[in-house]
Amino acid sequence: MQETIDSVLFVPEEKLSLEEYASSLSELCQNAKNGYEQLMLAAEDKNAPKKGVKAARKIEKEYKARLDELCSTDFSICTEEEISDCYREVSTMITAIREAKDLLKL
């Protein structure tokens, strides 16, 4: 039984090259931007829930400029640590965007 559990839990770690890591981050940024744009569009609806609109405006204030900056960044010239830091930052943004979308019932 333990052998089965161990074999199921074993996930080989795949190490991405720095180029792949940078490319993946660029895609993540674009996905965040797309989600942000969907959120802003939904918040403009006259029938949108007020909590959702308020959350969308907060996202806009807190993240729009930085998201635009990240989307225009050439990550291929960044270090692994810089890319990792940006990954965490974009992941935080995506979580906030998703939470706001939930309030708008998207």
Side-chain angles (χ1 to χ4, degrees):
M1 178 85 154
Q2 184 63 38
E3 208 172 288
T4 304
I5 292 171
D6 290 341
S7 67
V8 171
L9 294 178
F10 176 73
V11 178
E13 241 182 75
E14 184 179 321
K15 180 78 171 156
L16 296 177
S17 70
L18 191 56
E19 182 179 283
E20 291 169 324
Y21 201 24
S23 176
S24 178
L25 178 55
S26 292
E27 288 178 31
L28 187 67
C29 286
Q30 192 55 54
N31 290 338
K33 178 104 175 173
N34 292 342
Y36 169 82
E37 289 170 354
Q38 291 171 354
L39 173 67
M40 292 297 110
L41 192 63
E44 291 175 9
D45 186 329
K46 289 187 281 186
N47 298 320
K50 289 183 183 190
K51 280 186 176 183
V53 173
K54 185 177 178 181
R57 297 300 167 226
K58 183 178 179 185
I59 298 290
E60 181 178 34
K61 183 179 178 182
E62 290 184 21
Y63 298 125
K64 183 182 184 332
R66 182 61 177 150
L67 186 56
D68 287 342
E69 181 182 342
L70 287 167
C71 284
S72 65
T73 299
D74 179 5
F75 295 111
S76 67
I77 61 172
C78 295
T79 66
E80 186 172 353
E81 184 177 331
E82 290 169 329
I83 292 172
S84 182
D85 290 345
C86 289
Y87 245 103
R88 281 190 290 280
E89 187 176 4
V90 174
S91 294
T92 299
M93 289 179 192
I94 288 172
T95 299
I97 290 167
R98 285 181 180 159
E99 289 172 353
K101 283 173 130 180
D102 286 348
L103 292 173
L104 287 169
K105 314 249 190 278
L106 292 181

